[in-house]
Amino acid sequence: MLGTQTPERSAMPEPTPAPGETKARRRAGRPMAAVLDQDGITAAALELVSKKGYDGLTMAALARSLGVAPSALYNHVSSKDEVLKLVEEDLMSKVDFGGFRTLPWEEAVRQWAYSYRGIFARHTPLISVIAVLPVTDAPQTLAMYEAVTEGFLRAGFPEKQIIPSIVALEAYIFGAAFDANAPADIFDSGRLADSTPHFTSAVRSLGPDQNNYPSDLAFSMGLDALITGLGALRVDQSG
């Protein structure tokens, strides 16, 4: 009969909002697709690399992790290289290089190196890629190198010695980032301890705990040596 409903077709009553709550309006149609932006793409790429390594970062895998079709991803980034450039920019934006504008050169290098190492120690799968990634049109990365270069010039370094010095420091920093993740027992001689007495004794001299791997001490000693060696290149030793 027109105007009546059988019980099985009766609409279920909507719940009454609790005091102070407003009733949510039901959206019509299909839910909106995930909104893509560079920050979200960068974060998803970093997470993907941390879980599956560099080889696990593909455009198809990145699109799946973002819950979108690859075609939607390509509307924002043209290639895996562009994604890597976004990742590089994100990581470099976190490196503290401000000391090159305000601190003595030695202190500025230490601050920069410790910050740089700390960031890449958390993202070691990307080191082999970013270490050889061109800096072309990368504003954050170039801003860092500009500040570092200016600090070297102010400290009295000959211009032709600056880039090799930066490369030497970065090579050490990247290696130290890997070393920061080394297992504590990396130098345990095991059953060959008696056949390597000098090495085993040196390891044990670090302390009663043979698993006391001195990653931070090693980094500090090596960095001091580099600073001393590179500092000798300065024309103006008072910088």
Side-chain angles (χ1 to χ4, degrees), residues 16-44:
T16 303
E21 293 183 348
T22 57
K23 185 176 179 180
R25 180 176 295 178
R26 181 183 299 170
R27 292 183 179 274
R30 300 176 62 185
M32 295 179 63
V35 177
L36 289 180
D37 57 26
Q38 289 190 344
D39 290 342
I41 293 170
T42 302

mmCIF file with all atom_site columns, all heavy atoms in Angstrom, residues 16-44:
data_model
loop_
_atom_site.group_PDB
_atom_site.id
_atom_site.type_symbol
_atom_site.label_atom_id
_atom_site.label_alt_id
_atom_site.label_comp_id
_atom_site.label_asym_id
_atom_site.label_entity_id
_atom_site.label_seq_id
_atom_site.pdbx_PDB_ins_code
_atom_site.Cartn_x
_atom_site.Cartn_y
_atom_site.Cartn_z
_atom_site.occupancy
_atom_site.B_iso_or_equiv
_atom_site.pdbx_formal_charge
_atom_site.auth_seq_id
_atom_site.auth_comp_id
_atom_site.auth_asym_id
_atom_site.auth_atom_id
_atom_site.pdbx_PDB_model_num
ATOM 1   N N   . THR A 1 16 ? 21.096 8.836  18.098 1.00 0.00 ? 16 THR A N   1
ATOM 2   C CA  . THR A 1 16 ? 20.970 10.218 18.555 1.00 0.00 ? 16 THR A CA  1
ATOM 3   C C   . THR A 1 16 ? 22.312 10.713 19.075 1.00 0.00 ? 16 THR A C   1
ATOM 4   O O   . THR A 1 16 ? 22.958 10.021 19.857 1.00 0.00 ? 16 THR A O   1
ATOM 5   C CB  . THR A 1 16 ? 19.934 10.311 19.694 1.00 0.00 ? 16 THR A CB  1
ATOM 6   O OG1 . THR A 1 16 ? 18.696 9.796  19.205 1.00 0.00 ? 16 THR A OG1 1
ATOM 7   C CG2 . THR A 1 16 ? 19.762 11.764 20.148 1.00 0.00 ? 16 THR A CG2 1
ATOM 8   N N   . PRO A 1 17 ? 22.785 11.880 18.629 1.00 0.00 ? 17 PRO A N   1
ATOM 9   C CA  . PRO A 1 17 ? 24.077 12.368 19.100 1.00 0.00 ? 17 PRO A CA  1
ATOM 10  C C   . PRO A 1 17 ? 24.076 12.566 20.614 1.00 0.00 ? 17 PRO A C   1
ATOM 11  O O   . PRO A 1 17 ? 23.061 12.922 21.214 1.00 0.00 ? 17 PRO A O   1
ATOM 12  C CB  . PRO A 1 17 ? 24.224 13.715 18.374 1.00 0.00 ? 17 PRO A CB  1
ATOM 13  C CG  . PRO A 1 17 ? 23.291 13.635 17.215 1.00 0.00 ? 17 PRO A CG  1
ATOM 14  C CD  . PRO A 1 17 ? 22.149 12.782 17.674 1.00 0.00 ? 17 PRO A CD  1
ATOM 15  N N   . ALA A 1 18 ? 25.221 12.319 21.230 1.00 0.00 ? 18 ALA A N   1
ATOM 16  C CA  . ALA A 1 18 ? 25.362 12.555 22.659 1.00 0.00 ? 18 ALA A CA  1
ATOM 17  C C   . ALA A 1 18 ? 25.353 14.048 22.919 1.00 0.00 ? 18 ALA A C   1
ATOM 18  O O   . ALA A 1 18 ? 25.603 14.857 22.022 1.00 0.00 ? 18 ALA A O   1
ATOM 19  C CB  . ALA A 1 18 ? 26.664 11.944 23.167 1.00 0.00 ? 18 ALA A CB  1
ATOM 20  N N   . PRO A 1 19 ? 25.035 14.454 24.160 1.00 0.00 ? 19 PRO A N   1
ATOM 21  C CA  . PRO A 1 19 ? 25.027 15.886 24.480 1.00 0.00 ? 19 PRO A CA  1
ATOM 22  C C   . PRO A 1 19 ? 26.352 16.531 24.110 1.00 0.00 ? 19 PRO A C   1
ATOM 23  O O   . PRO A 1 19 ? 27.422 16.018 24.435 1.00 0.00 ? 19 PRO A O   1
ATOM 24  C CB  . PRO A 1 19 ? 24.809 15.897 26.001 1.00 0.00 ? 19 PRO A CB  1
ATOM 25  C CG  . PRO A 1 19 ? 24.108 14.612 26.282 1.00 0.00 ? 19 PRO A CG  1
ATOM 26  C CD  . PRO A 1 19 ? 24.660 13.624 25.312 1.00 0.00 ? 19 PRO A CD  1
ATOM 27  N N   . GLY A 1 20 ? 26.301 17.666 23.409 1.00 0.00 ? 20 GLY A N   1
ATOM 28  C CA  . GLY A 1 20 ? 27.509 18.385 23.019 1.00 0.00 ? 20 GLY A CA  1
ATOM 29  C C   . GLY A 1 20 ? 28.063 17.961 21.687 1.00 0.00 ? 20 GLY A C   1
ATOM 30  O O   . GLY A 1 20 ? 28.935 18.626 21.138 1.00 0.00 ? 20 GLY A O   1
ATOM 31  N N   . GLU A 1 21 ? 27.572 16.844 21.126 1.00 0.00 ? 21 GLU A N   1
ATOM 32  C CA  . GLU A 1 21 ? 28.047 16.383 19.828 1.00 0.00 ? 21 GLU A CA  1
ATOM 33  C C   . GLU A 1 21 ? 27.117 16.880 18.737 1.00 0.00 ? 21 GLU A C   1
ATOM 34  O O   . GLU A 1 21 ? 25.935 17.138 18.984 1.00 0.00 ? 21 GLU A O   1
ATOM 35  C CB  . GLU A 1 21 ? 28.117 14.857 19.773 1.00 0.00 ? 21 GLU A CB  1
ATOM 36  C CG  . GLU A 1 21 ? 29.159 14.252 20.684 1.00 0.00 ? 21 GLU A CG  1
ATOM 37  C CD  . GLU A 1 21 ? 29.220 12.743 20.537 1.00 0.00 ? 21 GLU A CD  1
ATOM 38  O OE1 . GLU A 1 21 ? 28.299 12.204 19.896 1.00 0.00 ? 21 GLU A OE1 1
ATOM 39  O OE2 . GLU A 1 21 ? 30.151 12.127 21.070 1.00 0.00 ? 21 GLU A OE2 1
ATOM 40  N N   . THR A 1 22 ? 27.657 17.022 17.563 1.00 0.00 ? 22 THR A N   1
ATOM 41  C CA  . THR A 1 22 ? 26.829 17.381 16.419 1.00 0.00 ? 22 THR A CA  1
ATOM 42  C C   . THR A 1 22 ? 26.691 16.173 15.522 1.00 0.00 ? 22 THR A C   1
ATOM 43  O O   . THR A 1 22 ? 27.599 15.337 15.433 1.00 0.00 ? 22 THR A O   1
ATOM 44  C CB  . THR A 1 22 ? 27.463 18.544 15.623 1.00 0.00 ? 22 THR A CB  1
ATOM 45  O OG1 . THR A 1 22 ? 28.761 18.166 15.216 1.00 0.00 ? 22 THR A OG1 1
ATOM 46  C CG2 . THR A 1 22 ? 27.546 19.802 16.486 1.00 0.00 ? 22 THR A CG2 1
ATOM 47  N N   . LYS A 1 23 ? 25.628 16.098 14.860 1.00 0.00 ? 23 LYS A N   1
ATOM 48  C CA  . LYS A 1 23 ? 25.361 14.974 13.987 1.00 0.00 ? 23 LYS A CA  1
ATOM 49  C C   . LYS A 1 23 ? 26.174 15.102 12.712 1.00 0.00 ? 23 LYS A C   1
ATOM 50  O O   . LYS A 1 23 ? 26.132 16.116 12.025 1.00 0.00 ? 23 LYS A O   1
ATOM 51  C CB  . LYS A 1 23 ? 23.868 14.942 13.645 1.00 0.00 ? 23 LYS A CB  1
ATOM 52  C CG  . LYS A 1 23 ? 23.450 13.724 12.828 1.00 0.00 ? 23 LYS A CG  1
ATOM 53  C CD  . LYS A 1 23 ? 21.953 13.753 12.651 1.00 0.00 ? 23 LYS A CD  1
ATOM 54  C CE  . LYS A 1 23 ? 21.473 12.575 11.813 1.00 0.00 ? 23 LYS A CE  1
ATOM 55  N NZ  . LYS A 1 23 ? 20.014 12.607 11.634 1.00 0.00 ? 23 LYS A NZ  1
ATOM 56  N N   . ALA A 1 24 ? 27.008 14.092 12.414 1.00 0.00 ? 24 ALA A N   1
ATOM 57  C CA  . ALA A 1 24 ? 27.845 14.123 11.222 1.00 0.00 ? 24 ALA A CA  1
ATOM 58  C C   . ALA A 1 24 ? 26.986 13.952 9.986  1.00 0.00 ? 24 ALA A C   1
ATOM 59  O O   . ALA A 1 24 ? 26.113 13.097 9.948  1.00 0.00 ? 24 ALA A O   1
ATOM 60  C CB  . ALA A 1 24 ? 28.893 13.024 11.281 1.00 0.00 ? 24 ALA A CB  1
ATOM 61  N N   . ARG A 1 25 ? 27.241 14.794 9.011  1.00 0.00 ? 25 ARG A N   1
ATOM 62  C CA  . ARG A 1 25 ? 26.494 14.701 7.760  1.00 0.00 ? 25 ARG A CA  1
ATOM 63  C C   . ARG A 1 25 ? 27.092 13.604 6.888  1.00 0.00 ? 25 ARG A C   1
ATOM 64  O O   . ARG A 1 25 ? 28.291 13.540 6.698  1.00 0.00 ? 25 ARG A O   1
ATOM 65  C CB  . ARG A 1 25 ? 26.554 16.032 7.022  1.00 0.00 ? 25 ARG A CB  1
ATOM 66  C CG  . ARG A 1 25 ? 25.796 16.028 5.685  1.00 0.00 ? 25 ARG A CG  1
ATOM 67  C CD  . ARG A 1 25 ? 25.805 17.392 5.063  1.00 0.00 ? 25 ARG A CD  1
ATOM 68  N NE  . ARG A 1 25 ? 25.068 18.332 5.906  1.00 0.00 ? 25 ARG A NE  1
ATOM 69  C CZ  . ARG A 1 25 ? 24.949 19.640 5.602  1.00 0.00 ? 25 ARG A CZ  1
ATOM 70  N NH1 . ARG A 1 25 ? 25.544 20.126 4.529  1.00 0.00 ? 25 ARG A NH1 1
ATOM 71  N NH2 . ARG A 1 25 ? 24.274 20.437 6.404  1.00 0.00 ? 25 ARG A NH2 1
ATOM 72  N N   . ARG A 1 26 ? 26.275 12.729 6.407  1.00 0.00 ? 26 ARG A N   1
ATOM 73  C CA  . ARG A 1 26 ? 26.730 11.637 5.564  1.00 0.00 ? 26 ARG A CA  1
ATOM 74  C C   . ARG A 1 26 ? 27.167 12.181 4.213  1.00 0.00 ? 26 ARG A C   1
ATOM 75  O O   . ARG A 1 26 ? 26.473 12.974 3.598  1.00 0.00 ? 26 ARG A O   1
ATOM 76  C CB  . ARG A 1 26 ? 25.602 10.621 5.371  1.00 0.00 ? 26 ARG A CB  1
ATOM 77  C CG  . ARG A 1 26 ? 25.997 9.419  4.518  1.00 0.00 ? 26 ARG A CG  1
ATOM 78  C CD  . ARG A 1 26 ? 24.831 8.493  4.314  1.00 0.00 ? 26 ARG A CD  1
ATOM 79  N NE  . ARG A 1 26 ? 24.356 7.980  5.598  1.00 0.00 ? 26 ARG A NE  1
ATOM 80  C CZ  . ARG A 1 26 ? 23.221 7.300  5.729  1.00 0.00 ? 26 ARG A CZ  1
ATOM 81  N NH1 . ARG A 1 26 ? 22.452 7.090  4.683  1.00 0.00 ? 26 ARG A NH1 1
ATOM 82  N NH2 . ARG A 1 26 ? 22.845 6.854  6.919  1.00 0.00 ? 26 ARG A NH2 1
ATOM 83  N N   . ARG A 1 27 ? 28.381 11.743 3.781  1.00 0.00 ? 27 ARG A N   1
ATOM 84  C CA  . ARG A 1 27 ? 28.863 12.164 2.476  1.00 0.00 ? 27 ARG A CA  1
ATOM 85  C C   . ARG A 1 27 ? 28.182 11.349 1.381  1.00 0.00 ? 27 ARG A C   1
ATOM 86  O O   . ARG A 1 27 ? 28.040 10.145 1.500  1.00 0.00 ? 27 ARG A O   1
ATOM 87  C CB  . ARG A 1 27 ? 30.378 11.957 2.366  1.00 0.00 ? 27 ARG A CB  1
ATOM 88  C CG  . ARG A 1 27 ? 31.163 12.892 3.260  1.00 0.00 ? 27 ARG A CG  1
ATOM 89  C CD  . ARG A 1 27 ? 32.655 12.679 3.057  1.00 0.00 ? 27 ARG A CD  1
ATOM 90  N NE  . ARG A 1 27 ? 33.430 13.575 3.870  1.00 0.00 ? 27 ARG A NE  1
ATOM 91  C CZ  . ARG A 1 27 ? 33.770 14.802 3.516  1.00 0.00 ? 27 ARG A CZ  1
ATOM 92  N NH1 . ARG A 1 27 ? 33.372 15.273 2.340  1.00 0.00 ? 27 ARG A NH1 1
ATOM 93  N NH2 . ARG A 1 27 ? 34.497 15.562 4.314  1.00 0.00 ? 27 ARG A NH2 1
ATOM 94  N N   . ALA A 1 28 ? 27.812 12.013 0.338  1.00 0.00 ? 28 ALA A N   1
ATOM 95  C CA  . ALA A 1 28 ? 27.200 11.328 -0.793 1.00 0.00 ? 28 ALA A CA  1
ATOM 96  C C   . ALA A 1 28 ? 28.287 10.822 -1.726 1.00 0.00 ? 28 ALA A C   1
ATOM 97  O O   . ALA A 1 28 ? 29.349 11.421 -1.855 1.00 0.00 ? 28 ALA A O   1
ATOM 98  C CB  . ALA A 1 28 ? 26.269 12.291 -1.545 1.00 0.00 ? 28 ALA A CB  1
ATOM 99  N N   . GLY A 1 29 ? 28.035 9.705  -2.393 1.00 0.00 ? 29 GLY A N   1
ATOM 100 C CA  . GLY A 1 29 ? 28.962 9.185  -3.385 1.00 0.00 ? 29 GLY A CA  1
ATOM 101 C C   . GLY A 1 29 ? 30.136 8.463  -2.755 1.00 0.00 ? 29 GLY A C   1
ATOM 102 O O   . GLY A 1 29 ? 30.159 8.154  -1.570 1.00 0.00 ? 29 GLY A O   1
ATOM 103 N N   . ARG A 1 30 ? 31.172 8.215  -3.574 1.00 0.00 ? 30 ARG A N   1
ATOM 104 C CA  . ARG A 1 30 ? 32.339 7.458  -3.139 1.00 0.00 ? 30 ARG A CA  1
ATOM 105 C C   . ARG A 1 30 ? 33.256 8.335  -2.307 1.00 0.00 ? 30 ARG A C   1
ATOM 106 O O   . ARG A 1 30 ? 33.280 9.548  -2.455 1.00 0.00 ? 30 ARG A O   1
ATOM 107 C CB  . ARG A 1 30 ? 33.084 6.944  -4.375 1.00 0.00 ? 30 ARG A CB  1
ATOM 108 C CG  . ARG A 1 30 ? 32.262 6.031  -5.255 1.00 0.00 ? 30 ARG A CG  1
ATOM 109 C CD  . ARG A 1 30 ? 33.032 5.649  -6.499 1.00 0.00 ? 30 ARG A CD  1
ATOM 110 N NE  . ARG A 1 30 ? 34.252 4.918  -6.160 1.00 0.00 ? 30 ARG A NE  1
ATOM 111 C CZ  . ARG A 1 30 ? 35.151 4.553  -7.067 1.00 0.00 ? 30 ARG A CZ  1
ATOM 112 N NH1 . ARG A 1 30 ? 34.976 4.869  -8.340 1.00 0.00 ? 30 ARG A NH1 1
ATOM 113 N NH2 . ARG A 1 30 ? 36.227 3.897  -6.702 1.00 0.00 ? 30 ARG A NH2 1
ATOM 114 N N   . PRO A 1 31 ? 34.024 7.719  -1.376 1.00 0.00 ? 31 PRO A N   1
ATOM 115 C CA  . PRO A 1 31 ? 34.952 8.516  -0.589 1.00 0.00 ? 31 PRO A CA  1
ATOM 116 C C   . PRO A 1 31 ? 36.038 9.109  -1.477 1.00 0.00 ? 31 PRO A C   1
ATOM 117 O O   . PRO A 1 31 ? 36.388 8.563  -2.521 1.00 0.00 ? 31 PRO A O   1
ATOM 118 C CB  . PRO A 1 31 ? 35.551 7.482  0.394  1.00 0.00 ? 31 PRO A CB  1
ATOM 119 C CG  . PRO A 1 31 ? 35.359 6.175  -0.282 1.00 0.00 ? 31 PRO A CG  1
ATOM 120 C CD  . PRO A 1 31 ? 34.078 6.291  -1.037 1.00 0.00 ? 31 PRO A CD  1
ATOM 121 N N   . MET A 1 32 ? 36.568 10.232 -1.045 1.00 0.00 ? 32 MET A N   1
ATOM 122 C CA  . MET A 1 32 ? 37.595 10.917 -1.816 1.00 0.00 ? 32 MET A CA  1
ATOM 123 C C   . MET A 1 32 ? 38.880 10.097 -1.829 1.00 0.00 ? 32 MET A C   1
ATOM 124 O O   . MET A 1 32 ? 39.215 9.430  -0.864 1.00 0.00 ? 32 MET A O   1
ATOM 125 C CB  . MET A 1 32 ? 37.871 12.297 -1.218 1.00 0.00 ? 32 MET A CB  1
ATOM 126 C CG  . MET A 1 32 ? 36.703 13.250 -1.308 1.00 0.00 ? 32 MET A CG  1
ATOM 127 S SD  . MET A 1 32 ? 37.118 14.841 -0.561 1.00 0.00 ? 32 MET A SD  1
ATOM 128 C CE  . MET A 1 32 ? 38.443 15.374 -1.630 1.00 0.00 ? 32 MET A CE  1
ATOM 129 N N   . ALA A 1 33 ? 39.595 10.163 -2.917 1.00 0.00 ? 33 ALA A N   1
ATOM 130 C CA  . ALA A 1 33 ? 40.887 9.482  -3.011 1.00 0.00 ? 33 ALA A CA  1
ATOM 131 C C   . ALA A 1 33 ? 41.906 10.196 -2.143 1.00 0.00 ? 33 ALA A C   1
ATOM 132 O O   . ALA A 1 33 ? 41.719 11.351 -1.762 1.00 0.00 ? 33 ALA A O   1
ATOM 133 C CB  . ALA A 1 33 ? 41.355 9.476  -4.471 1.00 0.00 ? 33 ALA A CB  1
ATOM 134 N N   . ALA A 1 34 ? 42.980 9.485  -1.810 1.00 0.00 ? 34 ALA A N   1
ATOM 135 C CA  . ALA A 1 34 ? 44.026 10.082 -0.991 1.00 0.00 ? 34 ALA A CA  1
ATOM 136 C C   . ALA A 1 34 ? 44.599 11.302 -1.684 1.00 0.00 ? 34 ALA A C   1
ATOM 137 O O   . ALA A 1 34 ? 44.820 11.317 -2.885 1.00 0.00 ? 34 ALA A O   1
ATOM 138 C CB  . ALA A 1 34 ? 45.125 9.060  -0.739 1.00 0.00 ? 34 ALA A CB  1
ATOM 139 N N   . VAL A 1 35 ? 44.811 12.362 -0.898 1.00 0.00 ? 35 VAL A N   1
ATOM 140 C CA  . VAL A 1 35 ? 45.363 13.591 -1.442 1.00 0.00 ? 35 VAL A CA  1
ATOM 141 C C   . VAL A 1 35 ? 46.884 13.460 -1.457 1.00 0.00 ? 35 VAL A C   1
ATOM 142 O O   . VAL A 1 35 ? 47.505 13.192 -0.438 1.00 0.00 ? 35 VAL A O   1
ATOM 143 C CB  . VAL A 1 35 ? 44.941 14.806 -0.602 1.00 0.00 ? 35 VAL A CB  1
ATOM 144 C CG1 . VAL A 1 35 ? 45.591 16.074 -1.146 1.00 0.00 ? 35 VAL A CG1 1
ATOM 145 C CG2 . VAL A 1 35 ? 43.426 14.942 -0.587 1.00 0.00 ? 35 VAL A CG2 1
ATOM 146 N N   . LEU A 1 36 ? 47.497 13.638 -2.604 1.00 0.00 ? 36 LEU A N   1
ATOM 147 C CA  . LEU A 1 36 ? 48.938 13.505 -2.746 1.00 0.00 ? 36 LEU A CA  1
ATOM 148 C C   . LEU A 1 36 ? 49.605 14.867 -2.704 1.00 0.00 ? 36 LEU A C   1
ATOM 149 O O   . LEU A 1 36 ? 49.091 15.840 -3.262 1.00 0.00 ? 36 LEU A O   1
ATOM 150 C CB  . LEU A 1 36 ? 49.284 12.821 -4.062 1.00 0.00 ? 36 LEU A CB  1
ATOM 151 C CG  . LEU A 1 36 ? 48.976 11.329 -4.199 1.00 0.00 ? 36 LEU A CG  1
ATOM 152 C CD1 . LEU A 1 36 ? 49.404 10.849 -5.576 1.00 0.00 ? 36 LEU A CD1 1
ATOM 153 C CD2 . LEU A 1 36 ? 49.684 10.535 -3.128 1.00 0.00 ? 36 LEU A CD2 1
ATOM 154 N N   . ASP A 1 37 ? 50.743 14.937 -2.029 1.00 0.00 ? 37 ASP A N   1
ATOM 155 C CA  . ASP A 1 37 ? 51.595 16.109 -2.096 1.00 0.00 ? 37 ASP A CA  1
ATOM 156 C C   . ASP A 1 37 ? 53.037 15.650 -1.916 1.00 0.00 ? 37 ASP A C   1
ATOM 157 O O   . ASP A 1 37 ? 53.298 14.483 -1.625 1.00 0.00 ? 37 ASP A O   1
ATOM 158 C CB  . ASP A 1 37 ? 51.208 17.164 -1.051 1.00 0.00 ? 37 ASP A CB  1
ATOM 159 C CG  . ASP A 1 37 ? 51.245 16.632 0.370  1.00 0.00 ? 37 ASP A CG  1
ATOM 160 O OD1 . ASP A 1 37 ? 52.000 15.666 0.639  1.00 0.00 ? 37 ASP A OD1 1
ATOM 161 O OD2 . ASP A 1 37 ? 50.534 17.165 1.229  1.00 0.00 ? 37 ASP A OD2 1
ATOM 162 N N   . GLN A 1 38 ? 53.969 16.538 -2.089 1.00 0.00 ? 38 GLN A N   1
ATOM 163 C CA  . GLN A 1 38 ? 55.381 16.154 -2.044 1.00 0.00 ? 38 GLN A CA  1
ATOM 164 C C   . GLN A 1 38 ? 55.802 15.665 -0.672 1.00 0.00 ? 38 GLN A C   1
ATOM 165 O O   . GLN A 1 38 ? 56.593 14.730 -0.553 1.00 0.00 ? 38 GLN A O   1
ATOM 166 C CB  . GLN A 1 38 ? 56.247 17.329 -2.485 1.00 0.00 ? 38 GLN A CB  1
ATOM 167 C CG  . GLN A 1 38 ? 56.144 17.638 -3.960 1.00 0.00 ? 38 GLN A CG  1
ATOM 168 C CD  . GLN A 1 38 ? 57.185 18.638 -4.427 1.00 0.00 ? 38 GLN A CD  1
ATOM 169 O OE1 . GLN A 1 38 ? 57.801 19.328 -3.625 1.00 0.00 ? 38 GLN A OE1 1
ATOM 170 N NE2 . GLN A 1 38 ? 57.381 18.719 -5.735 1.00 0.00 ? 38 GLN A NE2 1
ATOM 171 N N   . ASP A 1 39 ? 55.267 16.267 0.377  1.00 0.00 ? 39 ASP A N   1
ATOM 172 C CA  . ASP A 1 39 ? 55.621 15.824 1.729  1.00 0.00 ? 39 ASP A CA  1
ATOM 173 C C   . ASP A 1 39 ? 55.175 14.389 1.970  1.00 0.00 ? 39 ASP A C   1
ATOM 174 O O   . ASP A 1 39 ? 55.913 13.578 2.542  1.00 0.00 ? 39 ASP A O   1
ATOM 175 C CB  . ASP A 1 39 ? 55.004 16.753 2.785  1.00 0.00 ? 39 ASP A CB  1
ATOM 176 C CG  . ASP A 1 39 ? 55.657 18.117 2.813  1.00 0.00 ? 39 ASP A CG  1
ATOM 177 O OD1 . ASP A 1 39 ? 56.778 18.255 2.286  1.00 0.00 ? 39 ASP A OD1 1
ATOM 178 O OD2 . ASP A 1 39 ? 55.044 19.050 3.366  1.00 0.00 ? 39 ASP A OD2 1
ATOM 179 N N   . GLY A 1 40 ? 53.953 14.075 1.542  1.00 0.00 ? 40 GLY A N   1
ATOM 180 C CA  . GLY A 1 40 ? 53.441 12.723 1.733  1.00 0.00 ? 40 GLY A CA  1
ATOM 181 C C   . GLY A 1 40 ? 54.211 11.698 0.902  1.00 0.00 ? 40 GLY A C   1
ATOM 182 O O   . GLY A 1 40 ? 54.497 10.592 1.376  1.00 0.00 ? 40 GLY A O   1
ATOM 183 N N   . ILE A 1 41 ? 54.558 12.072 -0.311 1.00 0.00 ? 41 ILE A N   1
ATOM 184 C CA  . ILE A 1 41 ? 55.330 11.174 -1.177 1.00 0.00 ? 41 ILE A CA  1
ATOM 185 C C   . ILE A 1 41 ? 56.710 10.929 -0.577 1.00 0.00 ? 41 ILE A C   1
ATOM 186 O O   . ILE A 1 41 ? 57.206 9.800  -0.546 1.00 0.00 ? 41 ILE A O   1
ATOM 187 C CB  . ILE A 1 41 ? 55.441 11.769 -2.591 1.00 0.00 ? 41 ILE A CB  1
ATOM 188 C CG1 . ILE A 1 41 ? 54.056 11.783 -3.263 1.00 0.00 ? 41 ILE A CG1 1
ATOM 189 C CG2 . ILE A 1 41 ? 56.433 10.979 -3.438 1.00 0.00 ? 41 ILE A CG2 1
ATOM 190 C CD1 . ILE A 1 41 ? 54.011 12.563 -4.564 1.00 0.00 ? 41 ILE A CD1 1
ATOM 191 N N   . THR A 1 42 ? 57.329 11.989 -0.072 1.00 0.00 ? 42 THR A N   1
ATOM 192 C CA  . THR A 1 42 ? 58.660 11.864 0.527  1.00 0.00 ? 42 THR A CA  1
ATOM 193 C C   . THR A 1 42 ? 58.627 10.955 1.752  1.00 0.00 ? 42 THR A C   1
ATOM 194 O O   . THR A 1 42 ? 59.475 10.067 1.907  1.00 0.00 ? 42 THR A O   1
ATOM 195 C CB  . THR A 1 42 ? 59.198 13.246 0.926  1.00 0.00 ? 42 THR A CB  1
ATOM 196 O OG1 . THR A 1 42 ? 59.238 14.099 -0.231 1.00 0.00 ? 42 THR A OG1 1
ATOM 197 C CG2 . THR A 1 42 ? 60.591 13.142 1.518  1.00 0.00 ? 42 THR A CG2 1
ATOM 198 N N   . ALA A 1 43 ? 57.658 11.171 2.619  1.00 0.00 ? 43 ALA A N   1
ATOM 199 C CA  . ALA A 1 43 ? 57.544 10.364 3.841  1.00 0.00 ? 43 ALA A CA  1
ATOM 200 C C   . ALA A 1 43 ? 57.318 8.892  3.494  1.00 0.00 ? 43 ALA A C   1
ATOM 201 O O   . ALA A 1 43 ? 57.906 7.995  4.109  1.00 0.00 ? 43 ALA A O   1
ATOM 202 C CB  . ALA A 1 43 ? 56.419 10.890 4.713  1.00 0.00 ? 43 ALA A CB  1
ATOM 203 N N   . ALA A 1 44 ? 56.458 8.640  2.508  1.00 0.00 ? 44 ALA A N   1
ATOM 204 C CA  . ALA A 1 44 ? 56.182 7.258  2.114  1.00 0.00 ? 44 ALA A CA  1
ATOM 205 C C   . ALA A 1 44 ? 57.420 6.604  1.502  1.00 0.00 ? 44 ALA A C   1
ATOM 206 O O   . ALA A 1 44 ? 57.695 5.420  1.741  1.00 0.00 ? 44 ALA A O   1
ATOM 207 C CB  . ALA A 1 44 ? 55.022 7.231  1.118  1.00 0.00 ? 44 ALA A CB  1
#
